[in-house]
Amino acid sequence: MKKLSWQYKLRNFTSVDIGVFEKYFEDMPYDPYVKGNFRKRRFSSIKKDHYGNFEILPHKTFTQSAKINDLLGDVVREYEEINEDLIYSEHFSKIVEGFSVLAGVNPYITEIGIHQMRILCSEYIKGEPAPEGRHKDGFDVIGIFCVRRVKVKGGVSELFVEKEDEKPILKKTLSQNELLVVNDREVFHNATKLVPVDMELGYRDVFVFTA
């Protein structure tokens, strides 16, 4: 992929009905690779077929180099697939199309990874959207789409040119329906800890795209 001339892009997808996703987050399995039962996760990969439709690719594991991920580097991770009805839904397709356009990705050629995640927090659960801290994911671009925030504060998205920079180039609490696309080759990203409102159980639902 050619060198990108931008660091990040931010868009609001007001035409997407996030309500259709709610049931698909209710039966999420816990991520077995992090301690504390604060993250639920599914993973699938997609690409467009000759007819212009997104198709789910054969099941695969997910691995990041230890040079990229200080917490789970070189660990071969196995996650359950995302529900097919969710991926093939009209509203999800709008998000993926939007990510492809903003990121400059050709979905006929480039495989797009989809990470469906729910981060939980309460008085007893630490909600860490990015337990590895400031990092890159090892791709050309990533996208973070906020589906829902329920009874939580925090979870602020931060972008840094250098990992040790004091000030971020972006500090933004993503609202529902907002998509943040990041140049993963040039920018480090992070999300701050989630804090429960009134100590009740809260959560933040997101789709993370990688390409």
Side-chain angles (χ1 to χ4, degrees):
M1 187 172 181
K2 66 180 181 180
K3 186 177 177 64
L4 303 177
S5 60
W6 47 271
Q7 295 172 317
Y8 67 89
K9 297 179 181 180
L10 185 65
R11 295 290 188 277
N12 193 311
F13 286 73
T14 54
S15 64
V16 172
D17 179 7
I18 59 172
V20 302
F21 304 135
E22 185 173 358
K23 63 183 179 181
Y24 299 111
F25 280 89
E26 293 307 315
D27 63 345
M28 293 273 287
Y30 284 101
D31 187 334
Y33 302 97
V34 293
K35 297 179 180 179
N37 284 345
F38 65 89
R39 183 161 75 186
K40 295 185 175 185
R41 187 168 187 164
R42 291 182 182 273
F43 169 69
S44 293
S45 299
I46 62 174
K47 187 185 285 188
K48 274 194 174 181
D49 61 21
H50 297 298
Y51 301 101
N53 301 313
F54 283 107
E55 62 175 349
I56 300 173
L57 299 178
H59 178 76
K60 62 174 59 179
T61 57
F62 179 69
T63 308
Q64 292 173 299
S65 167
K67 295 179 180 179
I68 295 294
N69 190 316
D70 296 333
L71 184 65
L72 293 169
D74 294 336
V75 176
V76 179
R77 287 180 271 173
E78 182 90 32
Y79 296 112
E80 291 185 20
E81 294 280 339
I82 297 172
N83 189 294
E84 290 187 8
D85 290 340
L86 188 161
I87 291 179
Y88 292 139
S89 69
E90 174 189 355
H91 291 278
F92 187 78
S93 293
K94 288 181 181 179
I95 303 171
V96 184
E97 288 282 9
F99 167 74
S100 300
V101 171
L102 289 172
V105 169
N106 184 341
Y108 290 94
I109 300 172
T110 303
E111 178 180 317
I112 298 175
I114 307 166
H115 304 258
Q116 180 189 9
M117 288 188 277
R118 168 170 284 185
I119 307 298
L120 301 160
C121 70
S122 73
E123 183 178 3
Y124 308 103
I125 302 172
K126 64 170 187 175
E128 295 283 1
E132 63 270 59
R134 300 177 187 181
H135 65 286
K136 296 180 179 180
D137 283 341
F139 294 89
D140 290 315
V141 287
I142 65 166
I144 304 147
F145 181 85
C146 182
V147 179
R148 185 177 289 102
R149 294 172 56 93
V150 176
K151 297 181 180 179
V152 293
K153 297 180 290 186
V156 180
S157 294
E158 300 176 324
L159 301 181
F160 300 86
V161 175
E162 300 294 339
K163 192 172 184 178
E164 304 303 328
D165 284 353
E166 290 186 16
K167 294 184 178 180
I169 59 172
L170 175 71
K171 191 170 185 177
K172 176 76 166 65
T173 301
L174 294 180
S175 301
Q176 296 176 171
N177 288 83
E178 281 192 313
L179 172 67
L180 174 64
V181 180
V182 179
N183 179 344
D184 194 49
R185 297 297 181 190
E186 301 295 328
V187 178
F188 291 86
H189 64 277
N190 182 45
T192 63
K193 184 178 179 180
L194 290 177
V195 179
V197 175
D198 299 327
M199 295 296 114
E200 295 182 18
L201 180 66
Y203 56 85
R204 174 179 181 255
D205 292 341
V206 299
F207 295 121
V208 174
F209 304 103
T210 57

